[in-house]
Structures are given as structure tokens and as C-alpha cells.
Amino acid sequence: MQTLKKQDVVALGFMTFALFLGAGNIIFPPMVGFGSGENLWWAALGFLLTGVGLPVLAIVTLARVGGGLDMLTSPIGRVAGTAFGVAVYLTIGPLFATPRTATVSFEMGIAPFIGTGSAQLFGYTVVYFAVATLIALFPGRLIDSVGKVLTPVLLLALAVLGVAAFFNPAGSAGAFQEAYQQAPLSQGFIQGYLTMDALAALVFGVVIVTAIRSRGVDSGRLVMRYTITAALIAGLCLSLVYLALMRLGATSGTVAPDAETGVALLTGYAHYAFGPTGGVLLGVVITLACLTTAVGLLTALGEYFSRLLPVSYRTVVIVMGLFSMVVANQGLAQLIAFSVPVLVGLYPIAITLMVLGLAWRLWRWPRRVFVPALAVATVFGVIDGLRAAGFDAWIPSWLSALPGASMGLGWTVPVLVAVLVAAAVDRALPAPAAAGSAA
């Protein structure tokens, strides 16, 4: 029976970490530290619960059901499961996240050195997506190319920045934000929630499993064990990075007193701590973080759509890479405006799906629980999406009185009620003779 060496398991964990760590994950934490002041650790706890806990939970859930989103959605039927899968993959992929990795890394890491013109952006995206596509074309080598080469460089650059933040702080914190004074835990929770990494985890699960199987591991039990181990390693690395970046933000009020985004804080601190070379260090961190995420997204897109459509994996990767390059150069602002409400709307469905999948063994017939719970989650997801799109007038005012509504979690109580009622019905009725289990 083929197994992985310890160094390969560590590399797999590093690869998983790198897939998650995009530019947004580097920009959000400094602002949490900047606004929370003396309430930093409560805000940090909230951020870690959703920014780390949810992605790890998603990977563990996928590992338990076999590693793929299609298996996780099987209780709701092929049509509904495919519709959800396509929505997640396209929104997280070429319609939003993949092209954004290029534009953000260009603006933060490259433009300060070569300028911000359209010609510079085009030239950068050609090179960027050529590299990302080339690496993604060989998914069996991701452990080596990402886990053993790119991630260690990224970790080294982040370590330099993180150690400096703890031992060479720039000064005092910035002005307290009222939200962090009143409820630091819940505000940190919201910021971690907005990283959208739980959706990304649903996409990356198959990438991790494919990387493991490419090493000849065919035991389902071992695949699950290695996947969960990789998720835990990634979660630990993400936690350390987030804590360091929050510490950086909490002590950078003097170098960027009017900061409205993490970009200003990171740039100000990098120049304070390292002088002119600080821009180079920040450029390396942002570019590598975005590149590894783009590789993971292209790989996941190739794996998913090559199974769904009669086209090869390589064809999907190349087409998605080219499409993402075009989007990165044209009309990204409009697509972001469209995509954010979709992302917000998908989140209640994704979290409900993860929790139900994790508890799969509790259900006599998963369909009885999955369908009503996800139907309620979908209704509230649509409501949250409309609210994010600015259509508040369409939303009944009484929904704002639901517990957690102010945090964007008004859907949790209705979904919990649906799960409890459906679970009671499921336990009261016998399991169909043909009902199987994916766990």
C-alpha cells in the first residue's frame, strides 16, 4: 500500500496553505488589528473562527465524503448539485477570484516599479497567467512545484514581515473603530467571514485529493487522513500569518494614520521597517500569494469541468487561463459588482452544506435533511445577495430582527430550525432500502 513520506505530507500542507492565502487574506488582518486596538485578541479570535475554522471544516467535510463537491451535493440531486457547483466554480474562478489575483498582485506588487498603464497591466497578465497555467497543467506535480518551491519562499517572506511586526513595531495603534469597541469578537468574526475562504475550500478539496492520488495513494482511508492533516497544517500556518498581520496593523497607526485598507498599512510598515527594500519584500509576498491561489483555482476548474463536460483537463485550464486574463484587463469592476452579491448569497448554502456533510453519519437518509435545510439556506442566501446588491427595499424589515442579522448571519436560526425538524422526521421514518452512505 502506497503511503506519503513525512516531507511530502508537510509539503501537501504547505500547498494547501498557499492555495488559500491570496491577497485578500493578507489585506484584511492588518485592518482588524488597526481598528481593534486593545481589543485585538478578542477580534483576532473572531477572525480565526471564520477565517481559519470554516476553511478547515470544509476540507475535513470533503475528505469525509470522498473529496469532491459532487459527492457532497449528491443528496439534493444531480441537477441542483450541478447548478450549485457551477455557480461556485465560475464565481470563485474566472468571473471573479482568478482575474482578481492578477490585478491585485499587479497593483500592489508590480505597478509601484513599472507604472499602472494598460500596456503594463496587459504585459504582466500575459506573463502571470502563462506561469499559472503552465503550473496548473501538471496537477500531479503541485506538491513539488507549489508545496516544495513556491510556498517556502512565500513563508520566508511572510516570516520576515511577521517577525518584524512583533519585534520592531512602528508605534501605537490607530484610532479605535466603534464596532470593535462595542463587539470586538463579532466584528472580527465578520471580517474572517468576508474572506470567502469557505467557498474556496469547496473548490480546493478536489485539488488536494488529486495531488495525493497522483503519488499513488489509492486507499480512501489514507487519502482522508492526509487531506485532514494538510488542512490542519494549512490552518496553523494561516493562524500564524493572520496573528502577525493583525499585530502589524495594531502597531502601525503612526505610519499610516488615515489607512482605510490593509494596503496602506502594509506599504507604510514595509517602508518603515525595511526602507526601499520593503516594497520589494511586499511585492514578493503579494505576487506569490496571488500566483499560488490562481494555480489552485485553475487546477480546480480543470478537474471539475473536464468531468462535467466532454473536454480535456488541459483544454479547460488553458481556456480558463485565457478568459481570466481577458477579464483581468477589461471590465473587472463591473464583474466584481456582480460577483460580490453572488458570493454573499452562496455562503449560507455552502456553510449549511459543510455542516450537514460533516454530520452525514447521523442521517438515516441524507436527502430528507439536506433538501429542506438547503432550501431554507437558499432563500436566505438570495435575501443576503439582494441586500449586498443594494436592494434593501425589497427585504422585509422583520428579517433584520433575526438573531445575528447585524452580522450577516440572520439565516442561521431558520436553517437550524429546518435541520432540527428534518432530522426529527428522518429519525422517525425508516431509511429506504436503496439509501446509501457516502461517508
Side-chain angles (χ1 to χ4, degrees):
M1 182 170 59
Q2 183 65 37
T3 60
L4 292 181
K5 298 177 181 178
K6 288 184 179 180
Q7 58 264 37
D8 287 333
V9 175
V10 173
L12 180 70
F14 283 175
M15 181 198 81
T16 305
F17 159 74
L19 296 182
F20 281 116
L21 192 72
N25 305 83
I26 295 175
I27 293 171
F28 278 121
M31 287 305 295
V32 173
F34 183 73
S36 57
E38 64 182 16
N39 293 322
L40 170 63
W41 299 114
W42 282 111
L45 176 60
F47 189 93
L48 294 180
L49 285 174
T50 48
V52 176
L54 285 181
V56 171
L57 176 65
I59 296 296
V60 171
T61 302
L62 289 172
R64 285 175 58 84
V65 302
L69 183 58
D70 51 350
M71 181 62 74
L72 186 58
T73 58
S74 60
I76 63 175
R78 184 174 181 179
V79 173
T82 299
F84 175 72
V86 170
V88 169
Y89 275 86
L90 289 181
T91 308
I92 289 290
L95 293 183
F96 179 44
T98 310
R100 189 184 68 169
T101 63
T103 56
V104 171
S105 62
F106 172 76
E107 291 175 4
M108 289 187 63
I110 305 299
F113 302 101
I114 66 173
T116 59
S118 58
Q120 290 94 322
L121 175 61
F122 177 77
Y124 174 75
T125 55
V126 168
V127 175
Y128 179 91
F129 281 109
V131 173
T133 301
L134 181 62
I135 297 174
L137 286 175
F138 302 95
R141 300 180 185 175
L142 286 184
I143 292 178
D144 293 322
S145 57
V146 176
K148 293 183 178 180
V149 178
L150 294 179
T151 308
V153 178
L154 174 59
L155 279 172
L156 178 62
L158 283 169
V160 171
L161 194 60
V163 170
F166 274 97
F167 294 100
N168 185 26
S172 61
F176 268 133
Q177 292 181 10
E178 184 177 350
Y180 285 105
Q181 286 182 305
Q182 296 178 349
L185 180 66
S186 62
Q187 188 62 23
F189 188 94
I190 294 171
Q191 296 303 314
Y193 182 73
L194 293 176
T195 64
M196 300 294 178
D197 274 348
L199 287 180
L202 295 176
V203 170
F204 291 146
V206 69
V207 178
I208 301 167
V209 171
T210 299
I212 295 171
R213 293 192 182 280
S214 71
R215 293 302 178 97
V217 179
D218 53 13
S219 166
R221 181 179 59 83
L222 284 178
V223 170
M224 182 175 71
R225 191 178 83 186
Y226 291 144
T227 302
I228 293 175
T229 302
L232 294 175
I233 292 173
L236 175 62
C237 292
L238 283 170
S239 298
L240 293 174
V241 169
Y242 290 157
L243 289 172
L245 292 176
M246 282 186 264
R247 166 70 175 176
L248 182 153
T251 58
S252 296
T254 56
V255 297
D258 301 318
E260 296 182 357
T261 68
V263 176
L265 288 169
L266 288 166
T267 303
Y269 180 79
H271 284 287
Y272 160 81
F274 304 103
T277 59
V280 176
L281 176 64
L282 191 59
V284 170
V285 169
I286 296 298
T287 302
L288 286 179
C290 290
L291 180 63
T292 52
T293 299
V295 169
L297 290 170
L298 289 174
T299 301
L301 289 165
E303 295 284 353
Y304 183 76
F305 284 106
S306 63
R307 293 198 311 270
L308 187 64
L309 303 171
V311 292
S312 69
Y313 169 85
R314 292 195 169 191
T315 298
V316 175
V317 170
I318 292 171
V319 169
M320 291 296 179
L322 289 171
F323 185 81
S324 298
M325 184 189 73
V326 172
V327 172
N329 282 274
Q330 299 177 15
L332 185 58
Q334 291 86 348
L335 283 169
I336 289 177
F338 166 78
S339 299
V340 169
V342 176
L343 284 167
V344 172
L346 288 173
Y347 230 94
I349 307 171
I351 295 177
T352 303
L353 193 59
M354 283 187 282
V355 174
L356 294 179
L358 194 64
W360 194 300
R361 294 181 187 275
L362 298 178
W363 324 124
R364 288 188 174 184
W365 192 27
R367 182 175 177 82
R368 289 182 186 143
V369 182
F370 274 63
V371 171
L374 288 171
V376 174
T378 299
V379 170
F380 279 86
V382 171
I383 291 171
D384 285 349
L386 289 173
R387 185 177 285 116
F391 295 104
D392 297 79
W394 295 13
I395 311 300
S397 58
W398 62 267
L399 289 173
S400 299
L402 288 171
S406 61
M407 297 170 57
L409 297 174
W411 56 272
T412 52
V413 171
V415 169
L416 178 60
V417 171
V419 170
L420 293 176
V421 172
V425 173
D426 179 57
R427 301 304 295 181
L429 299 176
S437 174

